[in-house]
Amino acid sequence: MGDNGQAGTHTYQSLADNCPFGSVEPPKRPTGRLIMHSMAMFGREFCYAVEAAYVTPVLLSVGLPKSLYSMVWLLSPVLGFLLQPVVGSASDHCQSRWGRRRPYILTLGTMMLLGMALYLNGDAVVSALIANPRKKLVWAITITMIGVVLFDFAADFIDGPIKAYLFDVCSHQDKEKGLHYHALFTGFGGALGYLLGAIDWAHLELGRLLGTEFQVMFFFSALMLTLSLIMHLCSIPEASLRDVAKDIVPQQLSRDPPLSSDGMHEYGSIEKVRNGSVNPELVVCRGKIKKRAKQTRKAMTMRSLLRALVHMPPHYRYLCVSHLIGWTAFLSNMLFFTDFMGQIVYHGDPYSMHNSTEFLIYERGVEVGCWGLCINSVFSSLYSYFQKALVSYIGLKGLYFMGYLLFGLGTGFIGLFPNVYSTLVLCASFGVMSSTLYTVPFNLLAEYHQEEEKERQQVQGRGLDSSGRGKGVDCAALTCMIQLAQILVGGGLGFLVNMAGSVIVVVITASAVALIGSCFVALFVRYVD
């Protein structure tokens, strides 16, 4: 403990309960169950697509000042970056009878619904309740901003518990298959959300029935998210730590592999098995288990978690850095892509009078840009399906490198040759990148966990102390790189655009960052043989 490096490592590992264990592979999950588990990503991405299509029109319609735009887009990722590891660690130690991850997923899903309700319906509700124009404006802006921040906050947070839930209850092979299904349905959800957003609901019967297109999209979003979450939460059962501990009898403990005198295996969703054995994600040890678990949970402060993340093993840190580079490149392009289509490809002017030819040309470019994003989502799903075949030939390293390289080259050619048809074709490279970001880093995380479990099996027979992190913390550390990327993009790209005087710098920046990332994943990220 006197050595700083050792102390830091111990701090990172002590976030979970420690104990060697005898690992038994979880049962194979049916494909239908894995598909049901993936539906949460379908509903989440559907709502994200609706937000991308409608948040800017909503904010403009309620009269949000331009000076508040940056606060709306930066507040949620800042909160996410700071608090996501706390949520991940808390879910590792959740004592709910419903399991570790599902209570958090249900809570965050409910927050997503509430956020959508506020930013899509807030203006209509305020207009019906308040007559004073000045008060109506203030309340409409306030409620809409709260809704956007709440939705982004919950939608960003929910990814970590979903991934940890998959890791907890599945074998290594099912984890890989489940991650591919996650990416597949993420693409389908985004494509469907963009398609529905492109429909002119104001001139259709459903639009007239519900009031405005904002209410129509809330109806579809709430319906899709609710059904998706129900299917996800009912997909694979979890059992609480307390229930499993009660069901283990002393005779069963005597049949278990030799254990250390105290502690408990640190993470995983626990599932009871009727054949007399227990899911490997839990080994209850003798002695001071409850006292140690309580002490561990009390020690999980923001300070200890940040210290833990700083002292994480190097290969985890490099994986997080590569994920940060990838999302920075991807978001640099995606958040400004429709504006790039309107200004650079179609040569429109968003600052012209709204009835002018230049502004109408710009709007046409934005519409075509939405179709480009739809192509991205569709190709992301298709590529996710073919990833399973490609990985056997080029491995995870090849998939990771190819995703960054193709995206870097695609965005570079779009910036150099801004033509409508070539740009739409090259939008397929966006799908390769998004599928890569949703699957490969988490596949590597699963392989790191599997490798650590094998090492613990080897050392337990020699009586060595073994310890590990909770899967929720690892997933949260990886996914909070998305929030950090949003902060970097939101705070830096606007400055670059102002300096260059053109949004073409957006795709050039995305290309350069992605090409740097392809070198990083090839040279620094560790791949398990």
Side-chain angles (χ1 to χ4, degrees):
M1 292 298 294
D3 180 71
N4 291 337
Q6 291 176 349
T9 302
H10 177 75
T11 300
Y12 190 79
Q13 293 173 340
S14 68
L15 294 175
D17 304 323
N18 302 325
C19 180
F21 67 102
S23 179
V24 180
E25 192 78 350
K28 181 176 176 59
R29 303 299 179 184
T31 299
R33 292 286 181 175
L34 294 176
I35 291 176
M36 289 175 64
H37 194 279
S38 304
M39 291 306 295
M41 300 303 295
F42 174 88
R44 171 181 176 266
E45 200 64 21
F46 181 93
C47 295
Y48 256 143
V50 170
E51 185 196 35
Y54 279 91
V55 161
T56 299
V58 168
L59 293 175
L60 291 174
S61 68
V62 299
L64 182 71
K66 291 184 178 181
S67 59
L68 295 179
Y69 273 27
S70 59
M71 188 177 73
V72 172
W73 294 116
L74 288 178
L75 182 59
S76 176
V78 167
L79 291 174
F81 178 70
L82 293 176
L83 298 179
Q84 195 163 77
V86 177
V87 173
S89 183
S91 71
D92 281 332
H93 301 85
C94 178
Q95 296 291 309
S96 170
R97 291 189 177 276
W98 205 30
R100 292 187 173 191
R101 318 297 178 185
R102 290 190 292 180
Y104 287 88
I105 294 171
L106 178 60
T107 301
L108 292 168
T110 303
M111 291 171 63
M112 288 177 63
L113 283 172
L114 178 59
M116 285 191 300
L118 291 177
Y119 81 75
L120 287 174
N121 302 305
D123 186 35
V125 173
V126 169
S127 297
L129 296 178
I130 300 177
N132 186 296
R134 184 174 180 83
K135 288 185 178 180
K136 183 171 71 174
L137 176 63
V138 172
W139 277 103
I141 292 175
T142 302
I143 290 177
T144 302
M145 287 180 62
I146 292 173
V148 172
V149 172
L150 183 63
F151 173 83
D152 276 342
F153 179 84
D156 290 341
F157 265 56
I158 202 171
D159 189 49
I162 288 173
K163 293 294 193 300
Y165 179 15
L166 177 72
F167 286 5
D168 289 344
V169 297
C170 291
S171 65
H172 184 69
Q173 290 74 20
D174 284 340
K175 290 174 190 175
E176 292 182 347
K177 185 187 295 185
L179 287 171
H180 287 302
Y181 283 129
H182 278 198
L184 180 70
F185 283 94
T186 294
F188 282 154
L192 185 57
Y194 285 123
L195 284 176
L196 289 177
I199 298 174
D200 186 6
W201 293 103
H203 295 87
L204 297 178
E205 185 63 30
L206 185 59
R208 289 190 289 268
L209 177 65
L210 294 178
T212 68
E213 57 184 352
F214 296 156
Q215 277 72 59
V216 173
M217 293 313 298
F218 172 72
F219 169 77
F220 281 114
S221 299
L223 179 64
M224 289 291 185
L225 183 60
T226 301
L227 293 177
S228 298
L229 285 176
I230 290 174
M231 295 180 68
H232 171 76
L233 296 172
C234 296
S235 59
I236 302 174
E238 293 182 281
S240 71
L241 300 176
R242 292 181 298 176
D243 287 345
V244 177
K246 290 178 182 178
D247 290 346
I248 298 178
V249 296
Q251 292 84 352
Q252 182 178 344
L253 287 174
S254 65
R255 295 196 300 269
D256 284 339
L259 302 173
S260 61
S261 60
D262 54 21
M264 178 170 64
H265 177 48
E266 65 278 2
Y267 50 63
S269 174
I270 318 309
E271 185 180 78
K272 290 180 281 189
V273 181
R274 296 184 179 88
N275 63 2
S277 63
V278 179
N279 187 285
E281 295 292 315
L282 177 69
V283 175
V284 179
C285 305
R286 301 178 180 90
K288 304 175 182 177
I289 171 176
K290 294 182 180 180
K291 182 178 179 181
R292 287 173 60 89
K294 289 180 180 178
Q295 290 174 345
T296 300
R297 285 194 294 274
K298 289 179 181 178
M300 287 192 303
T301 63
M302 186 68 196
R303 180 181 177 183
S304 64
L305 279 170
L306 290 176
R307 187 165 60 245
L309 295 176
V310 169
H311 294 288
M312 66 169 61
H315 54 284
Y316 282 90
R317 187 181 300 113
Y318 288 138
L319 183 61
C320 287
V321 172
S322 69
H323 205 50
L324 172 63
I325 294 173
W327 274 104
T328 300
F330 188 69
L331 292 175
S332 296
N333 181 70
M334 298 300 289
L335 294 181
F336 295 89
F337 181 70
T338 53
D339 188 49
F340 170 81
M341 288 290 291
Q343 291 196 56
I344 304 301
V345 178
Y346 273 79
H347 306 290
D349 185 1
Y351 304 106
S352 299
M353 298 294 293
H354 284 199
N355 58 354
S356 66
T357 303
E358 291 80 5
F359 185 81
L360 294 176
I361 292 174
Y362 173 80
E363 283 195 325
R364 175 59 182 166
V366 171
E367 292 175 1
V368 175
C370 289
W371 285 105
L373 296 179
C374 184
I375 292 172
N376 151 62
S377 297
V378 171
F379 203 83
S380 175
S381 293
L382 295 176
Y383 182 72
S384 300
Y385 179 80
F386 289 110
Q387 267 189 343
K388 292 184 289 185
L390 287 173
V391 71
S392 60
Y393 292 101
I394 62 177
L396 289 177
K397 184 175 184 178
L399 284 178
Y400 213 6
F401 176 79
M402 187 172 67
Y404 280 58
L405 180 64
L406 290 179
F407 180 78
L409 294 176
T411 51
F413 282 122
I414 286 174
L416 294 174
F417 309 103
N419 176 270
V420 176
Y421 300 105
S422 63
T423 297
L424 290 177
V425 170
L426 289 170
C427 283
S429 67
F430 305 169
V432 174
M433 184 64 161
S434 62
S435 178
T436 299
L437 292 172
Y438 279 121
T439 55
V440 177
F442 292 97
N443 272 322
L444 289 172
L445 195 63
E447 293 203 345
Y448 294 164
H449 287 158
Q450 185 187 43
E451 183 182 51
E452 290 178 353
E453 289 172 1
K454 290 179 180 178
E455 290 176 356
R456 281 196 293 271
Q457 293 177 54
Q458 293 174 0
V459 302
Q460 78 174 53
R462 297 196 293 269
L464 299 177
D465 180 38
S466 77
S467 56
R469 295 160 313 283
K471 293 179 182 177
V473 174
D474 286 343
C475 291
L478 194 59
T479 54
C480 74
M481 294 300 105
I482 304 174
Q483 281 80 53
L484 183 55
Q486 285 180 286
I487 296 170
L488 294 176
V489 171
L493 266 188
F495 174 76
L496 290 178
V497 170
N498 289 332
M499 290 288 292
S502 172
V503 293
I504 198 169
V505 72
V506 169
V507 292
I508 300 300
T509 301
S511 175
V513 173
L515 292 175
I516 292 172
S518 66
C519 297
F520 188 91
V521 300
L523 297 176
F524 294 99
V525 175
R526 186 167 72 83
Y527 303 89
V528 180
D529 294 331

